[in-house]
Amino acid sequence: MAYETKTRPTDRSVLEFLHSVEPPRRRDQGLELLDLFSEVTGAEPALWGPSIVGYGRLRYTYATGNSGEMPRVGFSPRKAALSLYGLTLYGSNADLLERLGKHRVGKGCLYVNKLEDVDHEVLVAMIRRGWAEGDDFEASHPGVTIEPLDGRDA
């Protein structure tokens, strides 16, 4: 049985989603991130799955043949923390993470409790790098290949 990616771009409105986020503090931070990511990438956001605001598209294919799509960069204003995608993959951007401020890192996510906890300029630099360097994903995942689907080179 082939693996099927569940998180895909949808036709749902990004603004409608963000205006529905609870609590209000998280909603405000989501709207702030929308402005920030849109300004840095210059791209239109899309809602991926029920709750990820993503920019750009990449297709990845593992040596096993499993493949899927993901946004180049994105975020989700989740109740527990702001989840930021494509800004740190398996140790990338360690130089910026040292200066970012209060955060946690997962395999492919950066978690921030409050935007006030991080250095705005460092966050902008991380978004810029994540947007420009799609090949970081390839470098951090042996045996995977990437194909840009948004008209940009990886």
Side-chain angles (χ1 to χ4, degrees):
M1 184 165 108
Y3 173 78
E4 190 171 319
T5 304
K6 294 181 174 106
T7 305
R8 302 177 189 188
T10 69
D11 291 332
R12 289 184 51 220
S13 165
V14 169
L15 278 176
E16 284 180 24
F17 160 68
L18 289 173
H19 284 292
S20 72
V21 169
E22 292 292 337
R25 175 179 65 90
R26 224 19 126 213
R27 179 182 321 127
D28 293 344
Q29 291 172 338
L31 291 167
E32 189 175 338
L33 286 171
L34 178 69
D35 289 343
L36 184 63
F37 274 76
S38 295
E39 181 181 327
V40 172
T41 67
E44 288 294 318
L47 193 63
W48 287 65
S51 64
I52 296 174
V53 177
Y55 293 82
R57 292 172 74 170
L58 295 174
R59 171 175 294 286
Y60 57 88
T61 304
Y62 287 98
T64 62
N66 288 343
S67 66
E69 293 180 20
M70 66 183 209
R72 284 181 174 270
V73 295
F75 67 90
S76 184
R78 301 191 190 280
K79 193 176 279 189
L82 298 166
S83 300
L84 309 176
Y85 302 97
L87 308 187
T88 176
L89 295 168
Y90 295 90
S92 67
N93 290 327
D95 61 322
L96 293 175
L97 286 172
E98 290 176 2
R99 301 184 339 221
L100 180 63
K102 189 174 178 183
H103 68 276
R104 292 176 286 121
V105 177
K107 286 184 178 182
C109 277
L110 174 65
Y111 301 102
V112 173
N113 289 331
K114 300 180 290 192
L115 289 177
E116 303 83 46
D117 288 344
V118 298
D119 184 305
H120 179 83
E121 289 180 24
V122 174
L123 181 57
V124 166
M126 292 184 78
I127 296 168
R128 190 171 289 124
R129 272 193 199 172
W131 178 248
E133 298 177 357
D135 56 353
D136 280 349
F137 186 83
E138 198 166 354
S140 65
H141 290 74
V144 71
T145 57
I146 304 187
E147 169 191 356
L149 299 174
D150 57 8
R152 293 172 35 101
D153 294 326

